[in-house]
Amino acid sequence: MSSDATESVVARAGSLRALGQLEAAERLLQDALGTAPGDAALLTEWAALLQARGDLLQAEQAARSALQAAPDTLPPYLRLVAVLIVAGRAPEALTITSQLVGMAPDVAGVWAQHALASIDGRGRRIEQVRHAYHRALELEPGSPDWHTVAAVCERVHGNTGLARGFVAAGLERASQHPALLALRAEYAPVAEQPGLLLDLLVTNPGDEESRELLDAAVTWERRAASAVALVPAVVAAVALAGPGLPGAVAATVAAAGGAAAVWAALRRYRRRRDRLPASYLATLSRRGSVVARWAAMVTTGLVVLGVAVRWVAVGVDGPAWELASAWVLGTAVVAGLLSVAAPLPGDDRVLRAARARTGRVLWGVGWRFGSLRQELALWTGLGAGVLGLVVAATGSSDGAPAGLVTAAAWPIALVTATAFVEAVRAGRFAPQRYLRSLGIRYRLLALAGLTIGLVAIGAVGLQPPGARGTSDREPAPVSTFTVPGAPAPGPPAPDSPSSGSPVPVPSFSVPSFSVPSFDVPTIPPQSRSVSVPTPG
């Protein structure tokens, strides 16, 4: 095969690959490789195709084969670096690019790959990254590809505003650039993403990455809207604000406010969902949706019943009705938690597919929504846990009936425990998948502490009010010494003064007396002569 024919095949295959028509590009390259199996340009494009498919091992082998076929050309090196970066082996890629920038300092593609290879995820080499992609832009300022690289580098370091600026600048030079259009949809605010992704899919129905990102965005909106199912936890905690009328009023106000929040969240979610085509909605996973719907209806009924029983307790003035209301609201908390957790396995499948796709960005197109799910789980769990712990601790110390505090504390503890598990599970699809972020680890520890505290307060709440402050220590030993003629020590008789009435203390006065004054006599010294008899 002549060099012109090879260049034509490589150009056509690259265009098909950019449009997402991977099968057509594969057939074209296979036919060409059958004629020239050792051509370096064909092997390099074949490695790019395998990388787009996600087969990174075969892509690396193809890139190394191209490198062996033409060790003095740059394209095989650059493709090998790209595969290593996507495979998470940036240090190996950085070793190669560090040598290439010295051998080809005037090639923009080398500096662009050097910028991508220098990314460490923690921002320690951000200046080196920026120097590299700015150098690529200086060498070829009109190339939209280097704007794409600059946008990816800034987004990886959390600078979304700068990344959007590079995307916009690149689209001014090439308004239909596929990679820049994809990044514009990916970096857009969550509310704008479905519309932009639908435009991409209309233009290119075979864009699997945009389809996976759209699935992740839609499932995230459903997950965010389902967080209102935890409103019963707030109602159950607020109902412990006080016995009788204050607790009933507080529960009613909390339930009314929660109903307004649920209505607003569901209305917003349905308006966004109605913008999506029915043909697309029919393809979404419905795993757990039936269970979630029934659990939501049961939750609503239990909250209404719990508040009604609480008002009955005000009229009857009996602690049994307050206890029944607390347990009904606690059951509503569990039902609401079930409505949140039921669709999560289906959402995990969507994020798992988006995470496995590493052809466009470093962590897969769905990593952003894994982070959002993790943050939502952490903050909702902490909010419910702190509220429950404060109210339960207050209620357990004011003589509440046995089991009243437990009915709210243990279901809320289940909420915090579930939030802990969901945060860890969602972290698998986020950049900080190993929980290296200190903020995430501290909040996970706080969730664990809140769960333990709520369980302990709930256990204390099972005891009768008079026994909550008692201690299980053995009584101090009592002396067995008795005085003859005195009664033996023992508990006082019921009618004795020591049984509860104060014992009067007799008052007496000490008589005053004066000490007579006297003088100490002075004895003058006298000399006494003592005669000692002499014997004989």
Side-chain angles (χ1 to χ4, degrees), residues 21-65:
Q21 302 178 16
L22 301 183
E23 295 181 357
E26 181 180 0
R27 290 193 298 268
L28 182 62
L29 287 174
Q30 284 179 342
D31 294 340
L33 286 171
T35 304
D39 188 274
L42 293 175
L43 288 172
T44 301
E45 182 58 33
W46 180 250
L49 176 65
L50 293 173
Q51 177 185 344
R53 285 189 175 278
D55 191 352
L56 300 181
L57 180 60
Q58 296 295 328
E60 181 182 354
Q61 293 178 357
R64 292 189 182 278
S65 299

mmCIF file of all heavy atoms in Angstrom, residues 21-65:
data_model
loop_
_atom_site.group_PDB
_atom_site.id
_atom_site.type_symbol
_atom_site.label_atom_id
_atom_site.label_comp_id
_atom_site.label_asym_id
_atom_site.label_seq_id
_atom_site.Cartn_x
_atom_site.Cartn_y
_atom_site.Cartn_z
ATOM 1 N N GLN A 21 -18.355 6.520 14.957
ATOM 2 C CA GLN A 21 -18.657 5.356 14.114
ATOM 3 C C GLN A 21 -17.477 4.386 14.171
ATOM 4 O O GLN A 21 -16.707 4.224 13.222
ATOM 5 C CB GLN A 21 -18.956 5.815 12.692
ATOM 6 C CG GLN A 21 -20.111 6.802 12.604
ATOM 7 C CD GLN A 21 -20.373 7.291 11.195
ATOM 8 O OE1 GLN A 21 -19.902 6.689 10.219
ATOM 9 N NE2 GLN A 21 -21.105 8.381 11.054
ATOM 10 N N LEU A 22 -17.366 3.734 15.293
ATOM 11 C CA LEU A 22 -16.191 2.903 15.538
ATOM 12 C C LEU A 22 -16.204 1.629 14.704
ATOM 13 O O LEU A 22 -15.134 1.133 14.292
ATOM 14 C CB LEU A 22 -16.122 2.551 17.025
ATOM 15 C CG LEU A 22 -16.046 3.740 17.993
ATOM 16 C CD1 LEU A 22 -15.904 3.257 19.432
ATOM 17 C CD2 LEU A 22 -14.898 4.666 17.636
ATOM 18 N N GLU A 23 -17.363 1.078 14.465
ATOM 19 C CA GLU A 23 -17.414 -0.168 13.682
ATOM 20 C C GLU A 23 -16.967 0.074 12.250
ATOM 21 O O GLU A 23 -16.228 -0.740 11.665
ATOM 22 C CB GLU A 23 -18.823 -0.739 13.720
ATOM 23 C CG GLU A 23 -19.261 -1.193 15.114
ATOM 24 C CD GLU A 23 -20.651 -1.781 15.090
ATOM 25 O OE1 GLU A 23 -21.275 -1.780 14.009
ATOM 26 O OE2 GLU A 23 -21.112 -2.237 16.158
ATOM 27 N N ALA A 24 -17.412 1.183 11.660
ATOM 28 C CA ALA A 24 -16.982 1.493 10.296
ATOM 29 C C ALA A 24 -15.479 1.751 10.246
ATOM 30 O O ALA A 24 -14.781 1.298 9.313
ATOM 31 C CB ALA A 24 -17.751 2.709 9.772
ATOM 32 N N ALA A 25 -14.944 2.470 11.218
ATOM 33 C CA ALA A 25 -13.497 2.699 11.272
ATOM 34 C C ALA A 25 -12.739 1.390 11.460
ATOM 35 O O ALA A 25 -11.660 1.196 10.862
ATOM 36 C CB ALA A 25 -13.179 3.675 12.401
ATOM 37 N N GLU A 26 -13.301 0.484 12.245
ATOM 38 C CA GLU A 26 -12.635 -0.807 12.462
ATOM 39 C C GLU A 26 -12.568 -1.614 11.170
ATOM 40 O O GLU A 26 -11.523 -2.198 10.842
ATOM 41 C CB GLU A 26 -13.385 -1.590 13.538
ATOM 42 C CG GLU A 26 -12.765 -2.936 13.852
ATOM 43 C CD GLU A 26 -13.534 -3.680 14.922
ATOM 44 O OE1 GLU A 26 -14.554 -3.140 15.408
ATOM 45 O OE2 GLU A 26 -13.120 -4.806 15.264
ATOM 46 N N ARG A 27 -13.658 -1.657 10.402
ATOM 47 C CA ARG A 27 -13.638 -2.412 9.149
ATOM 48 C C ARG A 27 -12.629 -1.811 8.169
ATOM 49 O O ARG A 27 -11.891 -2.550 7.485
ATOM 50 C CB ARG A 27 -15.032 -2.403 8.529
ATOM 51 C CG ARG A 27 -16.055 -3.224 9.303
ATOM 52 C CD ARG A 27 -17.314 -3.431 8.481
ATOM 53 N NE ARG A 27 -17.968 -2.160 8.173
ATOM 54 C CZ ARG A 27 -18.912 -1.622 8.939
ATOM 55 N NH1 ARG A 27 -19.311 -2.245 10.062
ATOM 56 N NH2 ARG A 27 -19.477 -0.472 8.609
ATOM 57 N N LEU A 28 -12.589 -0.500 8.120
ATOM 58 C CA LEU A 28 -11.650 0.152 7.200
ATOM 59 C C LEU A 28 -10.208 -0.158 7.571
ATOM 60 O O LEU A 28 -9.370 -0.483 6.704
ATOM 61 C CB LEU A 28 -11.901 1.658 7.233
ATOM 62 C CG LEU A 28 -11.043 2.522 6.304
ATOM 63 C CD1 LEU A 28 -11.295 2.159 4.851
ATOM 64 C CD2 LEU A 28 -11.338 4.006 6.530
ATOM 65 N N LEU A 29 -9.875 -0.092 8.870
ATOM 66 C CA LEU A 29 -8.499 -0.344 9.295
ATOM 67 C C LEU A 29 -8.131 -1.814 9.156
ATOM 68 O O LEU A 29 -6.969 -2.150 8.826
ATOM 69 C CB LEU A 29 -8.323 0.112 10.740
ATOM 70 C CG LEU A 29 -8.282 1.633 10.964
ATOM 71 C CD1 LEU A 29 -8.241 1.950 12.452
ATOM 72 C CD2 LEU A 29 -7.071 2.249 10.266
ATOM 73 N N GLN A 30 -9.062 -2.707 9.428
ATOM 74 C CA GLN A 30 -8.754 -4.133 9.278
ATOM 75 C C GLN A 30 -8.426 -4.487 7.829
ATOM 76 O O GLN A 30 -7.509 -5.277 7.562
ATOM 77 C CB GLN A 30 -9.927 -4.960 9.788
ATOM 78 C CG GLN A 30 -10.023 -5.028 11.299
ATOM 79 C CD GLN A 30 -11.210 -5.845 11.771
ATOM 80 O OE1 GLN A 30 -12.150 -6.094 11.013
ATOM 81 N NE2 GLN A 30 -11.188 -6.239 13.037
ATOM 82 N N ASP A 31 -9.163 -3.903 6.895
ATOM 83 C CA ASP A 31 -8.853 -4.158 5.486
ATOM 84 C C ASP A 31 -7.471 -3.626 5.126
ATOM 85 O O ASP A 31 -6.697 -4.287 4.409
ATOM 86 C CB ASP A 31 -9.912 -3.505 4.599
ATOM 87 C CG ASP A 31 -11.286 -4.148 4.770
ATOM 88 O OD1 ASP A 31 -11.338 -5.308 5.256
ATOM 89 O OD2 ASP A 31 -12.295 -3.493 4.434
ATOM 90 N N ALA A 32 -7.153 -2.430 5.647
ATOM 91 C CA ALA A 32 -5.850 -1.854 5.327
ATOM 92 C C ALA A 32 -4.719 -2.629 5.991
ATOM 93 O O ALA A 32 -3.664 -2.857 5.382
ATOM 94 C CB ALA A 32 -5.815 -0.391 5.752
ATOM 95 N N LEU A 33 -4.923 -3.064 7.242
ATOM 96 C CA LEU A 33 -3.879 -3.831 7.924
ATOM 97 C C LEU A 33 -3.694 -5.204 7.306
ATOM 98 O O LEU A 33 -2.602 -5.806 7.425
ATOM 99 C CB LEU A 33 -4.219 -3.957 9.416
ATOM 100 C CG LEU A 33 -4.023 -2.685 10.245
ATOM 101 C CD1 LEU A 33 -4.595 -2.864 11.643
ATOM 102 C CD2 LEU A 33 -2.536 -2.339 10.335
ATOM 103 N N GLY A 34 -4.731 -5.735 6.699
ATOM 104 C CA GLY A 34 -4.559 -7.008 5.986
ATOM 105 C C GLY A 34 -3.607 -6.878 4.828
ATOM 106 O O GLY A 34 -2.912 -7.847 4.469
ATOM 107 N N THR A 35 -3.537 -5.707 4.221
ATOM 108 C CA THR A 35 -2.616 -5.462 3.116
ATOM 109 C C THR A 35 -1.234 -5.053 3.615
ATOM 110 O O THR A 35 -0.212 -5.491 3.070
ATOM 111 C CB THR A 35 -3.183 -4.359 2.203
ATOM 112 O OG1 THR A 35 -4.487 -4.729 1.767
ATOM 113 C CG2 THR A 35 -2.289 -4.148 0.992
ATOM 114 N N ALA A 36 -1.184 -4.209 4.680
ATOM 115 C CA ALA A 36 0.103 -3.729 5.221
ATOM 116 C C ALA A 36 0.087 -3.893 6.737
ATOM 117 O O ALA A 36 -0.165 -2.917 7.474
ATOM 118 C CB ALA A 36 0.333 -2.278 4.827
ATOM 119 N N PRO A 37 0.328 -5.112 7.235
ATOM 120 C CA PRO A 37 0.198 -5.356 8.683
ATOM 121 C C PRO A 37 1.242 -4.653 9.535
ATOM 122 O O PRO A 37 1.038 -4.472 10.734
ATOM 123 C CB PRO A 37 0.343 -6.875 8.787
ATOM 124 C CG PRO A 37 1.114 -7.271 7.579
ATOM 125 C CD PRO A 37 0.721 -6.322 6.495
ATOM 126 N N GLY A 38 2.352 -4.237 8.946
ATOM 127 C CA GLY A 38 3.387 -3.609 9.753
ATOM 128 C C GLY A 38 3.503 -2.124 9.555
ATOM 129 O O GLY A 38 4.517 -1.522 9.983
ATOM 130 N N ASP A 39 2.496 -1.497 8.964
ATOM 131 C CA ASP A 39 2.562 -0.056 8.716
ATOM 132 C C ASP A 39 2.383 0.704 10.035
ATOM 133 O O ASP A 39 1.406 0.490 10.756
ATOM 134 C CB ASP A 39 1.487 0.347 7.706
ATOM 135 C CG ASP A 39 1.640 1.792 7.271
ATOM 136 O OD1 ASP A 39 1.105 2.670 7.973
ATOM 137 O OD2 ASP A 39 2.300 2.037 6.244
ATOM 138 N N ALA A 40 3.310 1.596 10.342
ATOM 139 C CA ALA A 40 3.295 2.300 11.625
ATOM 140 C C ALA A 40 2.099 3.243 11.733
ATOM 141 O O ALA A 40 1.472 3.356 12.793
ATOM 142 C CB ALA A 40 4.599 3.084 11.796
ATOM 143 N N ALA A 41 1.752 3.933 10.654
ATOM 144 C CA ALA A 41 0.619 4.869 10.708
ATOM 145 C C ALA A 41 -0.693 4.121 10.932
ATOM 146 O O ALA A 41 -1.551 4.557 11.716
ATOM 147 C CB ALA A 41 0.561 5.672 9.417
ATOM 148 N N LEU A 42 -0.872 2.976 10.244
ATOM 149 C CA LEU A 42 -2.087 2.185 10.442
ATOM 150 C C LEU A 42 -2.156 1.617 11.853
ATOM 151 O O LEU A 42 -3.220 1.600 12.478
ATOM 152 C CB LEU A 42 -2.149 1.054 9.407
ATOM 153 C CG LEU A 42 -2.340 1.486 7.954
ATOM 154 C CD1 LEU A 42 -2.252 0.281 7.027
ATOM 155 C CD2 LEU A 42 -3.675 2.198 7.770
ATOM 156 N N LEU A 43 -1.017 1.147 12.376
ATOM 157 C CA LEU A 43 -1.001 0.609 13.741
ATOM 158 C C LEU A 43 -1.280 1.708 14.770
ATOM 159 O O LEU A 43 -1.940 1.476 15.785
ATOM 160 C CB LEU A 43 0.354 -0.038 14.015
ATOM 161 C CG LEU A 43 0.620 -1.372 13.301
ATOM 162 C CD1 LEU A 43 2.067 -1.809 13.510
ATOM 163 C CD2 LEU A 43 -0.337 -2.450 13.807
ATOM 164 N N THR A 44 -0.793 2.908 14.501
ATOM 165 C CA THR A 44 -1.055 4.016 15.425
ATOM 166 C C THR A 44 -2.543 4.359 15.463
ATOM 167 O O THR A 44 -3.125 4.558 16.538
ATOM 168 C CB THR A 44 -0.240 5.244 15.011
ATOM 169 O OG1 THR A 44 1.155 4.908 15.015
ATOM 170 C CG2 THR A 44 -0.471 6.395 15.978
ATOM 171 N N GLU A 45 -3.167 4.409 14.288
ATOM 172 C CA GLU A 45 -4.606 4.690 14.250
ATOM 173 C C GLU A 45 -5.410 3.528 14.832
ATOM 174 O O GLU A 45 -6.447 3.728 15.470
ATOM 175 C CB GLU A 45 -5.041 4.969 12.810
ATOM 176 C CG GLU A 45 -6.507 5.314 12.650
ATOM 177 C CD GLU A 45 -6.916 6.518 13.464
ATOM 178 O OE1 GLU A 45 -6.074 7.448 13.634
ATOM 179 O OE2 GLU A 45 -8.073 6.561 13.922
ATOM 180 N N TRP A 46 -4.921 2.302 14.626
ATOM 181 C CA TRP A 46 -5.580 1.140 15.236
ATOM 182 C C TRP A 46 -5.522 1.221 16.763
ATOM 183 O O TRP A 46 -6.484 0.896 17.460
ATOM 184 C CB TRP A 46 -4.925 -0.134 14.724
ATOM 185 C CG TRP A 46 -5.497 -1.405 15.274
ATOM 186 C CD1 TRP A 46 -4.905 -2.261 16.143
ATOM 187 C CD2 TRP A 46 -6.790 -1.960 14.983
ATOM 188 N NE1 TRP A 46 -5.728 -3.322 16.424
ATOM 189 C CE2 TRP A 46 -6.899 -3.163 15.721
ATOM 190 C CE3 TRP A 46 -7.854 -1.562 14.186
ATOM 191 C CZ2 TRP A 46 -8.035 -3.963 15.670
ATOM 192 C CZ3 TRP A 46 -8.979 -2.369 14.123
ATOM 193 C CH2 TRP A 46 -9.076 -3.529 14.864
ATOM 194 N N ALA A 47 -4.396 1.677 17.311
ATOM 195 C CA ALA A 47 -4.283 1.872 18.766
ATOM 196 C C ALA A 47 -5.263 2.939 19.238
ATOM 197 O O ALA A 47 -5.884 2.802 20.303
ATOM 198 C CB ALA A 47 -2.853 2.255 19.123
ATOM 199 N N ALA A 48 -5.431 4.004 18.459
ATOM 200 C CA ALA A 48 -6.392 5.043 18.831
ATOM 201 C C ALA A 48 -7.815 4.499 18.834
ATOM 202 O O ALA A 48 -8.631 4.838 19.713
ATOM 203 C CB ALA A 48 -6.276 6.225 17.864
ATOM 204 N N LEU A 49 -8.132 3.636 17.857
ATOM 205 C CA LEU A 49 -9.466 3.034 17.812
ATOM 206 C C LEU A 49 -9.702 2.136 19.022
ATOM 207 O O LEU A 49 -10.781 2.164 19.649
ATOM 208 C CB LEU A 49 -9.629 2.253 16.513
ATOM 209 C CG LEU A 49 -10.946 1.485 16.349
ATOM 210 C CD1 LEU A 49 -12.118 2.447 16.279
ATOM 211 C CD2 LEU A 49 -10.900 0.608 15.102
ATOM 212 N N LEU A 50 -8.716 1.328 19.374
ATOM 213 C CA LEU A 50 -8.854 0.448 20.534
ATOM 214 C C LEU A 50 -8.985 1.259 21.830
ATOM 215 O O LEU A 50 -9.728 0.878 22.742
ATOM 216 C CB LEU A 50 -7.652 -0.497 20.617
ATOM 217 C CG LEU A 50 -7.545 -1.536 19.500
ATOM 218 C CD1 LEU A 50 -6.226 -2.299 19.601
ATOM 219 C CD2 LEU A 50 -8.719 -2.520 19.568
ATOM 220 N N GLN A 51 -8.266 2.366 21.893
ATOM 221 C CA GLN A 51 -8.397 3.236 23.065
ATOM 222 C C GLN A 51 -9.821 3.797 23.164
ATOM 223 O O GLN A 51 -10.403 3.865 24.250
ATOM 224 C CB GLN A 51 -7.396 4.373 22.986
ATOM 225 C CG GLN A 51 -7.503 5.368 24.131
ATOM 226 C CD GLN A 51 -6.572 6.551 23.961
ATOM 227 O OE1 GLN A 51 -5.649 6.509 23.164
ATOM 228 N NE2 GLN A 51 -6.824 7.611 24.703
ATOM 229 N N ALA A 52 -10.385 4.199 22.023
ATOM 230 C CA ALA A 52 -11.755 4.709 22.038
ATOM 231 C C ALA A 52 -12.747 3.626 22.459
ATOM 232 O O ALA A 52 -13.776 3.926 23.076
ATOM 233 C CB ALA A 52 -12.120 5.246 20.660
ATOM 234 N N ARG A 53 -12.466 2.384 22.148
ATOM 235 C CA ARG A 53 -13.329 1.283 22.579
ATOM 236 C C ARG A 53 -13.154 0.937 24.055
ATOM 237 O O ARG A 53 -13.975 0.219 24.618
ATOM 238 C CB ARG A 53 -13.039 0.039 21.737
ATOM 239 C CG ARG A 53 -13.595 0.088 20.333
ATOM 240 C CD ARG A 53 -13.430 -1.269 19.675
ATOM 241 N NE ARG A 53 -14.061 -1.306 18.379
ATOM 242 C CZ ARG A 53 -15.361 -1.514 18.165
ATOM 243 N NH1 ARG A 53 -16.164 -1.675 19.195
ATOM 244 N NH2 ARG A 53 -15.853 -1.538 16.944
ATOM 245 N N GLY A 54 -12.070 1.407 24.667
ATOM 246 C CA GLY A 54 -11.819 1.092 26.060
ATOM 247 C C GLY A 54 -10.928 -0.112 26.265
ATOM 248 O O GLY A 54 -10.691 -0.513 27.409
ATOM 249 N N ASP A 55 -10.417 -0.695 25.180
ATOM 250 C CA ASP A 55 -9.520 -1.854 25.277
ATOM 251 C C ASP A 55 -8.088 -1.334 25.371
ATOM 252 O O ASP A 55 -7.330 -1.308 24.391
ATOM 253 C CB ASP A 55 -9.709 -2.752 24.051
ATOM 254 C CG ASP A 55 -9.016 -4.103 24.213
ATOM 255 O OD1 ASP A 55 -8.277 -4.267 25.209
ATOM 256 O OD2 ASP A 55 -9.204 -4.980 23.344
ATOM 257 N N LEU A 56 -7.721 -0.930 26.571
ATOM 258 C CA LEU A 56 -6.437 -0.242 26.744
ATOM 259 C C LEU A 56 -5.251 -1.190 26.622
ATOM 260 O O LEU A 56 -4.175 -0.782 26.176
ATOM 261 C CB LEU A 56 -6.425 0.451 28.103
ATOM 262 C CG LEU A 56 -7.513 1.511 28.312
ATOM 263 C CD1 LEU A 56 -7.384 2.147 29.682
ATOM 264 C CD2 LEU A 56 -7.461 2.570 27.220
ATOM 265 N N LEU A 57 -5.413 -2.440 27.002
ATOM 266 C CA LEU A 57 -4.293 -3.386 26.905
ATOM 267 C C LEU A 57 -3.920 -3.619 25.443
ATOM 268 O O LEU A 57 -2.741 -3.555 25.067
ATOM 269 C CB LEU A 57 -4.661 -4.694 27.594
ATOM 270 C CG LEU A 57 -3.578 -5.786 27.584
ATOM 271 C CD1 LEU A 57 -2.322 -5.284 28.284
ATOM 272 C CD2 LEU A 57 -4.093 -7.067 28.231
ATOM 273 N N GLN A 58 -4.930 -3.893 24.598
ATOM 274 C CA GLN A 58 -4.649 -4.091 23.177
ATOM 275 C C GLN A 58 -4.164 -2.796 22.531
ATOM 276 O O GLN A 58 -3.327 -2.820 21.616
ATOM 277 C CB GLN A 58 -5.913 -4.596 22.479
ATOM 278 C CG GLN A 58 -6.380 -5.962 22.950
ATOM 279 C CD GLN A 58 -5.375 -7.052 22.612
ATOM 280 O OE1 GLN A 58 -4.676 -6.988 21.599
ATOM 281 N NE2 GLN A 58 -5.298 -8.063 23.475
ATOM 282 N N ALA A 59 -4.681 -1.655 23.006
ATOM 283 C CA ALA A 59 -4.232 -0.374 22.460
ATOM 284 C C ALA A 59 -2.756 -0.144 22.754
ATOM 285 O O ALA A 59 -1.999 0.335 21.894
ATOM 286 C CB ALA A 59 -5.073 0.759 23.034
ATOM 287 N N GLU A 60 -2.326 -0.493 23.960
ATOM 288 C CA GLU A 60 -0.896 -0.326 24.284
ATOM 289 C C GLU A 60 -0.027 -1.241 23.425
ATOM 290 O O GLU A 60 1.044 -0.824 22.942
ATOM 291 C CB GLU A 60 -0.670 -0.635 25.759
ATOM 292 C CG GLU A 60 0.767 -0.456 26.196
ATOM 293 C CD GLU A 60 0.983 -0.820 27.655
ATOM 294 O OE1 GLU A 60 -0.019 -1.098 28.351
ATOM 295 O OE2 GLU A 60 2.161 -0.837 28.096
ATOM 296 N N GLN A 61 -0.480 -2.463 23.209
ATOM 297 C CA GLN A 61 0.298 -3.382 22.365
ATOM 298 C C GLN A 61 0.393 -2.862 20.935
ATOM 299 O O GLN A 61 1.472 -2.929 20.309
ATOM 300 C CB GLN A 61 -0.341 -4.765 22.399
ATOM 301 C CG GLN A 61 -0.269 -5.446 23.754
ATOM 302 C CD GLN A 61 -0.959 -6.799 23.764
ATOM 303 O OE1 GLN A 61 -1.545 -7.229 22.768
ATOM 304 N NE2 GLN A 61 -0.906 -7.480 24.912
ATOM 305 N N ALA A 62 -0.724 -2.320 20.410
ATOM 306 C CA ALA A 62 -0.683 -1.780 19.050
ATOM 307 C C ALA A 62 0.239 -0.567 18.974
ATOM 308 O O ALA A 62 0.989 -0.399 17.997
ATOM 309 C CB ALA A 62 -2.092 -1.416 18.597
ATOM 310 N N ALA A 63 0.222 0.286 19.977
ATOM 311 C CA ALA A 63 1.087 1.463 19.969
ATOM 312 C C ALA A 63 2.554 1.060 20.061
ATOM 313 O O ALA A 63 3.413 1.648 19.380
ATOM 314 C CB ALA A 63 0.724 2.386 21.125
ATOM 315 N N ARG A 64 2.868 0.060 20.839
ATOM 316 C CA ARG A 64 4.271 -0.388 20.921
ATOM 317 C C ARG A 64 4.702 -1.065 19.619
ATOM 318 O O ARG A 64 5.881 -0.962 19.222
ATOM 319 C CB ARG A 64 4.440 -1.325 22.106
ATOM 320 C CG ARG A 64 4.267 -0.626 23.460
ATOM 321 C CD ARG A 64 4.658 -1.501 24.637
ATOM 322 N NE ARG A 64 4.442 -0.831 25.900
ATOM 323 C CZ ARG A 64 5.270 0.032 26.469
ATOM 324 N NH1 ARG A 64 6.421 0.344 25.846
ATOM 325 N NH2 ARG A 64 4.997 0.599 27.625
ATOM 326 N N SER A 65 3.767 -1.753 18.969
ATOM 327 C CA SER A 65 4.110 -2.336 17.663
ATOM 328 C C SER A 65 4.398 -1.233 16.649
ATOM 329 O O SER A 65 5.345 -1.341 15.843
ATOM 330 C CB SER A 65 2.961 -3.222 17.171
ATOM 331 O OG SER A 65 2.730 -4.294 18.072
#
